[in-house]
Amino acid sequence: MQRVIQTLQNDGAKPELTTVIHTLLDASKEIAALVNHGALAGILGSTTDENIQGETQKKLDVIANQLMKDALLNNIQVRAIASEEEDDVVAGNKNGAYIVAFDPLDGSSNIDINGQIGTIFTIYKARKDVAADSELQFRQHGSQQVCAGYVLYGASTLLVITTGGPTRCFTLDAKSKHFLLTTAELQIPTDTQEFSVNMANQRFWSAPFKRYIDDLIIGEVGVRAKRFNMRWNAAMVGDVHRVLIRGGIFMYPSDNRNAQQPAKLRLLYEANPMAMLVEHAGGKAFNETQRILDIEPETLHQRVAVIMGSANEVDTCLKYLK
Ligand code: FBP
């Protein structure tokens, strides 16, 4: 079975880029081993610290972040990194050709309940016109990503990745410790009868979004004339993986819980990499008004609304929001 680097080289990925991906995967294998050991490895529970997002950091958030950071900053091709758990950009090797942003542990609320969690990453070419530790390094549209992916720590450990070609899925082989190609090309069905949203936030949604969800729920007796089912993993990496495998629509809309922060998910290391993976699997990815990959980045940890998945269903949702 084909290994990752061989597949990516066949996809035309430069050797410098594959070294960065290799480094990311080595760190994620260490995280996978810790996750698998759980309480035996002492990785459950929270710290007393908060990250720049104001979230209490889980022990595993901090451990995973340190593993990724140390590994990447040791790679001569990495000029800078950014992370959900780092306030600012961290400079790496001044001659590095790439910059990497990551969510070291997505789905933190699932850690202590043995639920699905993952690591999400995105790679861009380093900007030569600004300092390595400048936030401007990461002021690049999602459409300029040269690689996007996630590692899902679930029943098995999976890697889903694109370097601009097809979105591919690899499975970590426990014996050889290699990620082996198990699905050459993921293709999202254009239509679906499955939606994913945190229904507990319903009363905080805009009226048009409420109408869209109401019509999904009344299903075959309403204008949608078909029955819809709902799923919510509380981990974007798990919910989007399901969409990539069997279709669906994953949504985290803006809401009025906090006027200063209407959206939850982060553009740089959550929405943009997932949008690239979804689009390269034939799906669509928007906030409530525009294609996510075209959004002008403004700040390192900016948040955006997310509507992604089966192309026709995303179109239908956006029609309600017009
Ligand atoms: P982090 O766990 O990396 O902070 O990510 C945010 C996240 O957990 C997403 O993975 C998930 O889609 C969402 O928040 C769940 O939100 P909620 O708590 O509203 O269910």
PDB file of all heavy atoms in Angstrom, residues 100-117:
ATOM      1  N   VAL A 100       3.549  27.391   8.755  1.00  0.00           N
ATOM      2  CA  VAL A 100       2.561  26.376   9.126  1.00  0.00           C
ATOM      3  C   VAL A 100       1.682  26.912  10.255  1.00  0.00           C
ATOM      4  O   VAL A 100       2.192  27.495  11.214  1.00  0.00           O
ATOM      5  CB  VAL A 100       3.251  25.082   9.616  1.00  0.00           C
ATOM      6  CG1 VAL A 100       2.215  23.993   9.914  1.00  0.00           C
ATOM      7  CG2 VAL A 100       4.278  24.587   8.604  1.00  0.00           C
ATOM      8  N   ALA A 101       0.362  26.751  10.108  1.00  0.00           N
ATOM      9  CA  ALA A 101      -0.551  27.074  11.208  1.00  0.00           C
ATOM     10  C   ALA A 101      -1.311  25.810  11.563  1.00  0.00           C
ATOM     11  O   ALA A 101      -1.559  24.967  10.695  1.00  0.00           O
ATOM     12  CB  ALA A 101      -1.512  28.185  10.810  1.00  0.00           C
ATOM     13  N   PHE A 102      -1.662  25.656  12.842  1.00  0.00           N
ATOM     14  CA  PHE A 102      -2.327  24.418  13.248  1.00  0.00           C
ATOM     15  C   PHE A 102      -3.201  24.603  14.477  1.00  0.00           C
ATOM     16  O   PHE A 102      -2.979  25.505  15.292  1.00  0.00           O
ATOM     17  CB  PHE A 102      -1.305  23.310  13.502  1.00  0.00           C
ATOM     18  CG  PHE A 102      -0.210  23.679  14.477  1.00  0.00           C
ATOM     19  CD1 PHE A 102      -0.326  23.408  15.823  1.00  0.00           C
ATOM     20  CD2 PHE A 102       0.951  24.286  14.023  1.00  0.00           C
ATOM     21  CE1 PHE A 102       0.674  23.755  16.728  1.00  0.00           C
ATOM     22  CE2 PHE A 102       1.977  24.636  14.911  1.00  0.00           C
ATOM     23  CZ  PHE A 102       1.837  24.370  16.271  1.00  0.00           C
ATOM     24  N   ASP A 103      -4.217  23.760  14.571  1.00  0.00           N
ATOM     25  CA  ASP A 103      -5.014  23.580  15.782  1.00  0.00           C
ATOM     26  C   ASP A 103      -4.524  22.259  16.347  1.00  0.00           C
ATOM     27  O   ASP A 103      -4.886  21.197  15.846  1.00  0.00           O
ATOM     28  CB  ASP A 103      -6.509  23.522  15.433  1.00  0.00           C
ATOM     29  CG  ASP A 103      -7.381  23.273  16.668  1.00  0.00           C
ATOM     30  OD1 ASP A 103      -6.820  23.021  17.754  1.00  0.00           O
ATOM     31  OD2 ASP A 103      -8.626  23.311  16.519  1.00  0.00           O
ATOM     32  N   PRO A 104      -3.660  22.305  17.370  1.00  0.00           N
ATOM     33  CA  PRO A 104      -3.000  21.060  17.806  1.00  0.00           C
ATOM     34  C   PRO A 104      -3.981  20.001  18.299  1.00  0.00           C
ATOM     35  O   PRO A 104      -3.748  18.798  18.106  1.00  0.00           O
ATOM     36  CB  PRO A 104      -2.086  21.521  18.934  1.00  0.00           C
ATOM     37  CG  PRO A 104      -2.593  22.856  19.373  1.00  0.00           C
ATOM     38  CD  PRO A 104      -3.267  23.458  18.191  1.00  0.00           C
ATOM     39  N   LEU A 105      -5.098  20.469  18.898  1.00  0.00           N
ATOM     40  CA  LEU A 105      -6.057  19.500  19.419  1.00  0.00           C
ATOM     41  C   LEU A 105      -7.459  20.069  19.227  1.00  0.00           C
ATOM     42  O   LEU A 105      -7.941  20.834  20.055  1.00  0.00           O
ATOM     43  CB  LEU A 105      -5.774  19.216  20.892  1.00  0.00           C
ATOM     44  CG  LEU A 105      -6.010  17.806  21.413  1.00  0.00           C
ATOM     45  CD1 LEU A 105      -7.509  17.539  21.505  1.00  0.00           C
ATOM     46  CD2 LEU A 105      -5.368  16.760  20.561  1.00  0.00           C
ATOM     47  N   ASP A 106      -8.100  19.659  18.138  1.00  0.00           N
ATOM     48  CA  ASP A 106      -9.457  20.130  17.848  1.00  0.00           C
ATOM     49  C   ASP A 106     -10.473  19.227  18.528  1.00  0.00           C
ATOM     50  O   ASP A 106     -10.302  18.022  18.560  1.00  0.00           O
ATOM     51  CB  ASP A 106      -9.704  20.123  16.340  1.00  0.00           C
ATOM     52  CG  ASP A 106     -11.115  20.557  15.998  1.00  0.00           C
ATOM     53  OD1 ASP A 106     -11.470  21.694  16.347  1.00  0.00           O
ATOM     54  OD2 ASP A 106     -11.883  19.723  15.476  1.00  0.00           O
ATOM     55  N   GLY A 107     -11.522  19.838  19.096  1.00  0.00           N
ATOM     56  CA  GLY A 107     -12.533  19.040  19.792  1.00  0.00           C
ATOM     57  C   GLY A 107     -12.159  18.816  21.245  1.00  0.00           C
ATOM     58  O   GLY A 107     -12.465  17.784  21.844  1.00  0.00           O
ATOM     59  N   SER A 108     -11.509  19.837  21.841  1.00  0.00           N
ATOM     60  CA  SER A 108     -10.967  19.672  23.205  1.00  0.00           C
ATOM     61  C   SER A 108     -12.006  19.165  24.198  1.00  0.00           C
ATOM     62  O   SER A 108     -11.678  18.422  25.120  1.00  0.00           O
ATOM     63  CB  SER A 108     -10.411  21.016  23.700  1.00  0.00           C
ATOM     64  OG  SER A 108      -9.520  21.530  22.746  1.00  0.00           O
ATOM     65  N   SER A 109     -13.270  19.537  24.000  1.00  0.00           N
ATOM     66  CA  SER A 109     -14.294  19.125  24.979  1.00  0.00           C
ATOM     67  C   SER A 109     -14.538  17.618  24.925  1.00  0.00           C
ATOM     68  O   SER A 109     -15.213  17.063  25.783  1.00  0.00           O
ATOM     69  CB  SER A 109     -15.610  19.871  24.716  1.00  0.00           C
ATOM     70  OG  SER A 109     -16.140  19.486  23.453  1.00  0.00           O
ATOM     71  N   ASN A 110     -13.979  16.947  23.934  1.00  0.00           N
ATOM     72  CA  ASN A 110     -14.143  15.485  23.800  1.00  0.00           C
ATOM     73  C   ASN A 110     -13.012  14.685  24.432  1.00  0.00           C
ATOM     74  O   ASN A 110     -13.094  13.456  24.522  1.00  0.00           O
ATOM     75  CB  ASN A 110     -14.221  15.099  22.315  1.00  0.00           C
ATOM     76  CG  ASN A 110     -15.574  15.385  21.721  1.00  0.00           C
ATOM     77  OD1 ASN A 110     -16.525  15.711  22.422  1.00  0.00           O
ATOM     78  ND2 ASN A 110     -15.660  15.266  20.402  1.00  0.00           N
ATOM     79  N   ILE A 111     -11.932  15.387  24.859  1.00  0.00           N
ATOM     80  CA  ILE A 111     -10.740  14.660  25.343  1.00  0.00           C
ATOM     81  C   ILE A 111     -11.094  13.738  26.504  1.00  0.00           C
ATOM     82  O   ILE A 111     -10.793  12.541  26.480  1.00  0.00           O
ATOM     83  CB  ILE A 111      -9.641  15.647  25.775  1.00  0.00           C
ATOM     84  CG1 ILE A 111      -9.140  16.476  24.594  1.00  0.00           C
ATOM     85  CG2 ILE A 111      -8.483  14.902  26.435  1.00  0.00           C
ATOM     86  CD1 ILE A 111      -8.240  17.638  24.985  1.00  0.00           C
ATOM     87  N   ASP A 112     -11.759  14.282  27.523  1.00  0.00           N
ATOM     88  CA  ASP A 112     -11.982  13.507  28.756  1.00  0.00           C
ATOM     89  C   ASP A 112     -13.084  12.466  28.613  1.00  0.00           C
ATOM     90  O   ASP A 112     -13.285  11.666  29.529  1.00  0.00           O
ATOM     91  CB  ASP A 112     -12.289  14.463  29.923  1.00  0.00           C
ATOM     92  CG  ASP A 112     -11.096  15.383  30.211  1.00  0.00           C
ATOM     93  OD1 ASP A 112      -9.998  15.089  29.689  1.00  0.00           O
ATOM     94  OD2 ASP A 112     -11.270  16.400  30.901  1.00  0.00           O
ATOM     95  N   ILE A 113     -13.803  12.483  27.479  1.00  0.00           N
ATOM     96  CA  ILE A 113     -14.892  11.506  27.297  1.00  0.00           C
ATOM     97  C   ILE A 113     -14.536  10.495  26.194  1.00  0.00           C
ATOM     98  O   ILE A 113     -15.404   9.814  25.659  1.00  0.00           O
ATOM     99  CB  ILE A 113     -16.228  12.208  26.970  1.00  0.00           C
ATOM    100  CG1 ILE A 113     -16.096  13.045  25.690  1.00  0.00           C
ATOM    101  CG2 ILE A 113     -16.723  13.045  28.138  1.00  0.00           C
ATOM    102  CD1 ILE A 113     -17.399  13.237  24.947  1.00  0.00           C
ATOM    103  N   ASN A 114     -13.238  10.448  25.848  1.00  0.00           N
ATOM    104  CA  ASN A 114     -12.780   9.484  24.835  1.00  0.00           C
ATOM    105  C   ASN A 114     -13.518   9.659  23.513  1.00  0.00           C
ATOM    106  O   ASN A 114     -13.769   8.699  22.771  1.00  0.00           O
ATOM    107  CB  ASN A 114     -12.954   8.047  25.360  1.00  0.00           C
ATOM    108  CG  ASN A 114     -12.039   7.070  24.637  1.00  0.00           C
ATOM    109  OD1 ASN A 114     -11.035   7.479  24.045  1.00  0.00           O
ATOM    110  ND2 ASN A 114     -12.400   5.806  24.623  1.00  0.00           N
ATOM    111  N   GLY A 115     -13.884  10.911  23.214  1.00  0.00           N
ATOM    112  CA  GLY A 115     -14.576  11.201  21.953  1.00  0.00           C
ATOM    113  C   GLY A 115     -13.579  11.500  20.849  1.00  0.00           C
ATOM    114  O   GLY A 115     -12.362  11.531  21.071  1.00  0.00           O
ATOM    115  N   GLN A 116     -14.097  11.735  19.648  1.00  0.00           N
ATOM    116  CA  GLN A 116     -13.220  12.027  18.504  1.00  0.00           C
ATOM    117  C   GLN A 116     -12.524  13.371  18.711  1.00  0.00           C
ATOM    118  O   GLN A 116     -13.159  14.362  19.070  1.00  0.00           O
ATOM    119  CB  GLN A 116     -14.026  12.098  17.212  1.00  0.00           C
ATOM    120  CG  GLN A 116     -14.393  10.755  16.616  1.00  0.00           C
ATOM    121  CD  GLN A 116     -15.032  10.916  15.238  1.00  0.00           C
ATOM    122  OE1 GLN A 116     -15.778  11.874  15.003  1.00  0.00           O
ATOM    123  NE2 GLN A 116     -14.745  10.000  14.326  1.00  0.00           N
ATOM    124  N   ILE A 117     -11.216  13.403  18.461  1.00  0.00           N
ATOM    125  CA  ILE A 117     -10.437  14.634  18.492  1.00  0.00           C
ATOM    126  C   ILE A 117      -9.445  14.590  17.332  1.00  0.00           C
ATOM    127  O   ILE A 117      -9.287  13.544  16.692  1.00  0.00           O
ATOM    128  CB  ILE A 117      -9.686  14.797  19.833  1.00  0.00           C
ATOM    129  CG1 ILE A 117      -8.928  13.528  20.203  1.00  0.00           C
ATOM    130  CG2 ILE A 117     -10.644  15.199  20.945  1.00  0.00           C
ATOM    131  CD1 ILE A 117      -8.190  13.605  21.533  1.00  0.00           C
TER     132      ILE A 117
END
